[in-house]
Amino acid sequence: MSESPRVLSIQSHVVSGYVGNKSATFPLQLLGFEVDFINSVQFCNHTGYKKVAGQVLTEKDLDDLALGLEANNLDLYSHLLTGYIGAASFLTRICALVKHLKDVNPSLTYVCDPVMGDNGRMYVPADLLPIYKSSILPLADIITPNQYEVELLTDMKINNVEEAWKAVDFLHSKGPKIVVVSSTELGNNEHLLALASKRQGNSCEKVTIRVPKLSGSFTGTGDLFAALFLAWMHKTGNNLKESLEKTVSTLQAVLKRTIESARGEVTPRAKELKLIQSKKDIENPTIVASASVV
Ligand code: ATP
Ligand code: PLP
Ligand code: MG
Ligand code: MG
């Protein structure tokens, strides 16, 4: 294995703006990772703009790339990161790829953001859900669902923190050693609540963090969250509390800069994450939210 950690990131590419691989690659590189990225789609911009044009990678295209990497022994990765996936056939091919990459490197960490929806609405085809449940969960080491995605994956409704932990424990029982619920509505008017749990033997280390709510809604933040969490778990030797604090604090800095720079304008363009301008905050986040051990 080479000295630097090496991530294979399979996510969307947008020509303009920051979601998917455009949101994940720069922060991972800044934090010392080699990043090999496969673009599951190439769109002109994210789906919040009035027009979206571009190409979709098929599972055959993915196969070609994976087999080419394998033929040249370029398939030794420390991490695999997947985010938004729009077709069941593509997700099924990802399952085979995870198995292959884990054969090549048995200590590979697979970080899966099971992007399916938000706020009670599914925005991927419904046939992805059974594949996430039965095939992806057993392969994933770290998952970063939001509250709605936890409900979909567990068939459990979450009304309070206790129910959230029950659902998290259920997810652990399906495979992932680390479960992070990146955002829930279990906070209050001022805070979102995020929860994280690491299974250790028969017990779990559990932490929560109150995320100060910032006004507006943003795109690419879930993808940025997953990439930063992957990076900080690696860099801290799997310190759950520190990784969550650094991830959330970086997001706060990026979003505050984005809001300042938008100066009240609410167009998709004005709200694109100010990632490049946040280089120093990504490299060395000032902790603005502290996590509590439960
Ligand atoms: P995904 O859909 O990718 O599974 P998600 O729905 O949790 O994940 P987001 O809602 O973008 O993704 O939240 C991810 C993180 O982004 C949160 O943990 C928080 O740190 C930050 N974030 C996003 N929007 C806001 C906001 N309005 N105020 C404060 N933090 C925010
Ligand atoms: N990929 C594409 C092409 C998108 O359009 C979006 C959101 O619009 C995303 C990924 C995910 O963004 P987020 O990180 O906010 O969930
Ligand atoms: Mg959300
Ligand atoms: Mg998302």
Side-chain angles (χ1 to χ4, degrees):
M1 174 64 64
S2 57
E3 302 238 317
S4 305
R6 182 177 289 269
V7 188
L8 179 63
S9 177
I10 306 179
Q11 302 196 60
S12 316
H13 170 69
V14 283
V15 176
S16 179
Y18 297 94
V19 299
N21 273 335
K22 280 285 287 291
S23 190
T25 303
F26 176 70
L28 284 167
Q29 289 173 333
L30 277 182
L31 293 171
F33 288 73
E34 295 276 3
V35 185
D36 290 0
F37 43 91
I38 292 180
N39 298 323
S40 52
V41 301
Q42 166 168 252
F43 290 160
C44 53
N45 43 250
H46 71 65
T47 50
Y49 286 77
K50 69 173 190 284
K51 176 156 180 78
V52 184
Q55 298 81 37
V56 177
L57 196 80
T58 65
E59 55 278 13
K60 166 75 170 68
D61 298 327
L62 175 62
D63 246 340
D64 289 344
L65 294 172
L67 290 171
L69 292 170
E70 184 181 349
N72 291 322
N73 296 322
L74 298 173
D75 53 358
L76 181 62
Y77 290 102
S78 59
H79 296 79
L80 171 68
L81 173 61
T82 64
Y84 176 88
I85 288 164
S89 52
F90 196 88
L91 188 59
T92 300
R93 184 61 189 80
I94 296 270
C95 295
L97 183 60
V98 183
K99 286 178 192 153
H100 171 74
L101 295 177
K102 287 196 172 196
D103 278 344
V104 177
N105 177 14
S107 60
L108 173 126
T109 299
Y110 173 29
V111 180
C112 174
D113 188 4
V115 178
M116 288 183 283
D118 210 346
N119 304 312
R121 194 180 66 85
M122 221 169 152
Y123 46 60
V124 298
D127 58 354
L128 269 80
L129 177 57
I131 305 173
Y132 274 115
K133 280 183 179 173
S134 64
S135 304
I136 293 283
L137 285 180
L139 293 168
D141 300 289
I142 300 180
I143 56 170
T144 59
N146 59 34
Q147 178 176 345
Y148 176 60
E149 290 156 350
V150 174
E151 292 178 343
L152 288 173
L153 289 168
T154 60
D155 294 305
M156 295 160 96
K157 183 88 188 91
I158 297 170
N159 299 298
N160 51 51
V161 174
E162 197 188 337
E163 289 176 0
W165 288 130
K166 271 196 191 139
V168 164
D169 288 338
F170 178 84
L171 289 171
H172 278 312
S173 77
K174 298 294 170 190
K177 198 165 64 219
I178 291 157
V179 177
V180 185
V181 190
S182 54
S183 62
T184 70
E185 287 304 326
L186 302 174
N188 52 30
N189 284 342
E190 277 96 52
H191 295 94
L192 305 167
L193 192 73
L195 304 88
S197 174
K198 178 166 83 171
R199 197 182 57 215
Q200 288 166 317
N202 288 330
S203 67
C204 289
E205 178 191 344
K206 287 184 157 62
V207 301
T208 58
I209 190 162
R210 289 176 357 142
V211 180
K213 274 189 195 168
L214 299 168
S215 66
S217 64
F218 303 89
T219 309
T221 42
D223 305 328
L224 179 58
F225 185 101
L228 290 169
F229 188 75
L230 180 162
W232 285 113
M233 283 298 273
H234 178 79
K235 287 169 80 74
T236 63
N238 283 336
N239 186 315
L240 194 66
K241 181 175 184 294
E242 194 182 342
S243 299
L244 198 59
E245 289 174 345
K246 289 202 150 94
T247 298
V248 165
S249 297
T250 305
L251 269 148
Q252 287 278 309
V254 171
L255 286 180
K256 281 182 191 155
R257 184 167 288 106
T258 302
I259 290 166
E260 268 165 35
S261 143
R263 294 169 184 265
E265 203 187 312
V266 293
T267 58
R269 170 98 199 226
K271 292 203 300 178
E272 289 286 358
L273 299 180
K274 293 293 169 291
L275 262 194
I276 309 302
Q277 299 79 349
S278 303
K279 174 175 180 283
K280 290 204 177 80
D281 296 305
I282 295 167
E283 288 173 316
N284 201 1
T286 304
I287 300 304
V288 296
S290 65
S292 313
V293 178
V294 178

